[in-house]
Amino acid sequence: MSWSPSERELERQAVRRRLRLQQIAVATVVTVVVAVGLVVLVLSSPGWDRVRDYFLSWSHARDSFAAIAEGFWINIRIFLVAEPCVLVLGAVVAIARQTTSPWLAPLRLLATGYTDLFRGVPSILVVVICGIGIPALGLAGVTSSLFWLTTFALVLCYGAYVAEVFRAGILAIHPTQVASAEALALTRAQTMRFVVLPQAVRRVVPPLMNDLVSLQKDTALISAVGVFEALRAAQDYQGYNFNGTPLLVAAAYFLVVAVPLTRLTDWLMRRQIEKEQGR
């Protein structure tokens, strides 16, 4: 005999559907009212005509599109080079801070000092120092390419942030996991490699994705040393034509990459929460 819901269960389902539809209707109405109110407020403001002419000129957007696209390719290349380097550096620093051997005390102090320094200094200052200071030293064999120097600066800055994310994931692993590995005669290095790190990495994927989104945006900081990436190209057009529309064009380029990454981060966070709740 097949199962069929009782009348009481059918009533509950009907109530839940009705409440869900009411919530959707209220959310839709409130969103539309707020959006319309904001649009009316902006369009009726005294300076709207000046803002529209300065920031929303279709002709200037069309004329600056190609130059900004060429500059944005530099942003993408720096991002693709820096991101794996950041992940490797962050993981190494996090592991170094978790060592317990007295012989590795200098390494722990170095890792701690690195994270404190580069989390405290503004990223734009690191970019300027690396982009201008390193070539000024005149060191033999050291590149003077601003592409690689600014990428190096971003890796230094974000490596410190990512190291703390990895370290938080390592510390979140329950001590019984380590004790069980030791009971199986695994060395501390084997425990870290085969037991702790795989679990820690899975736990910190969502915050790592947030850092990835931030890194993608902060590639624009290299414009401070004259690299003609997207923001610099937009500023150059703005300076010659006295119109700020290219700045919004550059923002649109960054959004094309940032929004999908942000949505992916949200999806990963939901998956992680569902896994935790399912245990």
Side-chain angles (χ1 to χ4, degrees):
M1 182 176 181
S2 60
W3 176 86
S4 60
S6 64
E7 294 184 1
R8 180 60 61 86
E9 176 61 22
L10 293 174
E11 291 176 1
R12 293 194 187 100
Q13 293 178 1
V15 170
R16 284 195 291 267
R17 283 195 299 269
R18 186 167 61 253
L19 291 175
R20 186 162 56 249
L21 291 175
Q22 289 176 354
Q23 292 173 348
I24 294 173
V26 170
T28 302
V29 171
V30 171
T31 302
V32 170
V33 170
V34 171
V36 171
L38 290 175
V39 170
V40 171
L41 178 64
V42 172
L43 296 182
S44 61
S45 60
W48 165 244
D49 292 336
R50 293 193 301 273
V51 172
R52 181 189 59 198
D53 294 338
Y54 190 77
F55 285 107
L56 298 174
S57 170
W58 171 249
S59 60
H60 286 292
R62 183 183 62 247
D63 294 341
S64 63
F65 188 86
I68 296 174
E70 184 178 353
F72 189 65
W73 174 234
I74 297 177
N75 294 95
I76 294 296
R77 285 159 53 201
I78 288 179
F79 170 69
L80 293 177
V81 172
E83 181 59 26
C85 297
V86 165
L87 293 174
V88 172
L89 177 60
V92 170
V93 172
I95 293 172
R97 294 195 64 181
Q98 292 307 114
T99 58
T100 58
S101 172
W103 295 98
L104 297 178
L107 182 62
R108 288 194 295 274
L109 290 175
L110 180 62
T112 303
Y114 161 74
T115 54
D116 290 344
L117 175 63
F118 286 100
R119 285 196 304 162
V121 177
S123 299
I124 192 169
L125 292 182
V126 180
V127 170
V128 171
I129 292 171
C130 291
I132 298 176
I134 293 180
L137 293 174
L139 298 174
V142 176
T143 181
S144 59
S145 168
L146 288 177
F147 176 90
W148 293 109
L149 292 174
T150 52
T151 301
F152 174 68
L154 291 174
V155 170
L156 287 178
C157 294
Y158 274 86
Y161 291 108
V162 170
E164 289 302 281
V165 173
F166 275 125
R167 194 164 74 97
I170 292 172
L171 293 174
I173 304 303
H174 200 275
T176 56
Q177 299 281 327
V178 178
S180 299
E182 292 175 349
L184 294 173
L186 269 67
T187 65
R188 186 165 183 84
Q190 291 173 328
T191 301
M192 179 64 71
R193 178 182 175 185
F194 297 110
V195 178
V196 176
L197 274 182
Q199 298 181 73
V201 170
R202 284 197 298 270
R203 287 174 180 265
V204 300
V205 166
L208 284 178
M209 292 297 297
N210 282 325
D211 285 330
L212 186 148
V213 173
S214 296
L215 174 60
Q216 184 266 332
K217 294 186 301 178
D218 278 353
T219 56
L221 294 176
I222 67 175
S223 64
V225 292
V227 179
F228 260 74
E229 45 73 63
L231 179 59
R232 185 72 174 185
Q235 291 174 328
D236 183 66
Y237 186 96
Q238 178 192 23
Y240 275 100
N241 297 276
F242 303 101
N243 188 275
T245 303
L247 297 176
L248 295 186
V249 175
Y253 273 107
F254 283 99
L255 285 173
V256 167
V257 177
V259 170
L261 289 177
T262 303
R263 298 282 71 80
L264 177 60
T265 301
D266 292 342
W267 179 77
L268 289 172
M269 291 179 67
R270 288 195 297 269
R271 285 287 304 274
Q272 185 66 33
I273 292 173
E274 290 172 358
K275 287 182 180 179
E276 293 294 335
Q277 292 177 344
R279 289 182 178 178

